[in-house]
């Protein structure tokens, strides 16, 4: 039902909005393909490794690698979910808060897969600073949206 109303809106939107929707649709399809291939390869690697016995999930390095791959698929899923809103014309732009949350997920993935014994203190400091900056920016944006009288992102207004 929702798709029918979106098709009815197509003649009423600008050429640029059509272009934006088309680009978002193509990106959604490409990211979906990447997710499918990554999930297939992850599944083959995990199942094959467990069956053959070459993969020991209790080994720290193996666990880090597998969990890092799982986080990569989750990050791609979240990115694809965000693009879906642009394609559906529910949002005309990607929300900054969503990009910040995806970035925080990527930073969490980085910390999970990091070999702390090989990481320099400067690298750790840099990653911590980026994580704090992303988290602080998200917190400030959330605080702005939580104020009384400020419409939420779901109320039809677009916030960047």
């Amino acid at each position: 039902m929702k798709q029918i109303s979106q098709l009815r809106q197509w003649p009423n939107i600008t050429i640029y909005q059509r272009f934006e929707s088309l680009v978002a649709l193509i990106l959604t399809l490409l990211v979906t393909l990447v997710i499918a291939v990554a999930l297939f390869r992850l599944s083959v690697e995990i199942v094959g490794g467990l069956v053959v016995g070459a993969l020991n999930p209790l080994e720290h390095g193996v666990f880090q690698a597998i969990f890092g791959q799982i986080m990569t698929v989750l990050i791609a899923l979240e990115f694809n979910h965000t693009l879906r809103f642009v394609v559906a014309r529910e949002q005309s732009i990607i929300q900054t808060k969503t990009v910040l949350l995806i970035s925080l997920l990527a930073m969490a993935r980085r910390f999970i897969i990091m070999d702390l014994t090989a990481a320099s203190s400067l690298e750790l400091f840099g990653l911590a600073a980026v994580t704090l900056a992303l988290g602080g920016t998200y917190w400030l944006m959330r605080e702005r949206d939580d104020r009384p009288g400020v419409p939420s992102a779901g109320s039809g207004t677009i916030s960047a």
Side-chain angles (χ1 to χ4, degrees):
M1 185 73 171
K2 200 176 217 181
Q3 284 78 17
I4 293 172
S5 69
Q6 291 162 0
L7 287 175
R8 289 183 186 149
Q9 291 176 357
W10 189 258
N12 300 329
I13 61 175
T14 66
I15 293 173
Y16 183 77
Q17 288 172 325
R18 290 178 189 178
F19 172 74
E20 190 179 62
S21 294
L22 186 62
V23 168
L25 177 63
I26 292 169
L27 284 174
T28 300
L29 294 174
L30 291 173
V31 172
T32 300
L33 181 64
V34 168
I35 291 168
V37 170
L39 183 61
F40 175 76
R41 292 187 68 192
L42 177 64
S43 300
V44 167
E45 184 178 329
I46 290 174
V47 172
L50 289 176
V51 169
V52 174
L55 189 66
N56 180 6
L58 298 178
E59 187 180 317
H60 184 69
V62 172
F63 180 78
Q64 279 182 307
I66 290 172
F67 204 72
Q69 292 171 347
I70 291 169
M71 289 288 293
T72 300
V73 172
L74 290 175
I75 291 166
L77 278 172
E78 185 58 41
F79 183 67
N80 211 21
H81 182 74
T82 302
L83 285 172
R84 189 179 58 89
F85 287 115
V86 177
V87 171
R89 304 289 316 148
E90 293 175 21
Q91 295 175 352
S92 65
I93 58 171
I94 304 293
Q95 298 291 304
T96 304
K97 284 183 0 181
T98 305
V99 172
L100 288 170
L101 287 174
I102 293 170
S103 300
L104 283 168
L105 273 174
M107 292 303 296
R109 179 196 173 278
R110 178 70 176 106
F111 280 111
I112 288 168
I113 65 170
M114 182 186 308
D115 182 8
L116 292 176
T117 59
S120 69
S121 57
L122 189 59
E123 180 183 7
L124 289 174
F125 179 76
L127 290 171
V130 169
T131 303
L132 283 172
L134 288 169
T137 304
Y138 178 77
W139 178 76
L140 288 171
M141 292 188 77
R142 192 204 66 195
E143 284 293 312
R144 181 195 72 187
D145 290 346
D146 288 347
R147 290 185 311 217
V150 175
S152 67
S155 66
T157 61
I158 306 228
S159 62

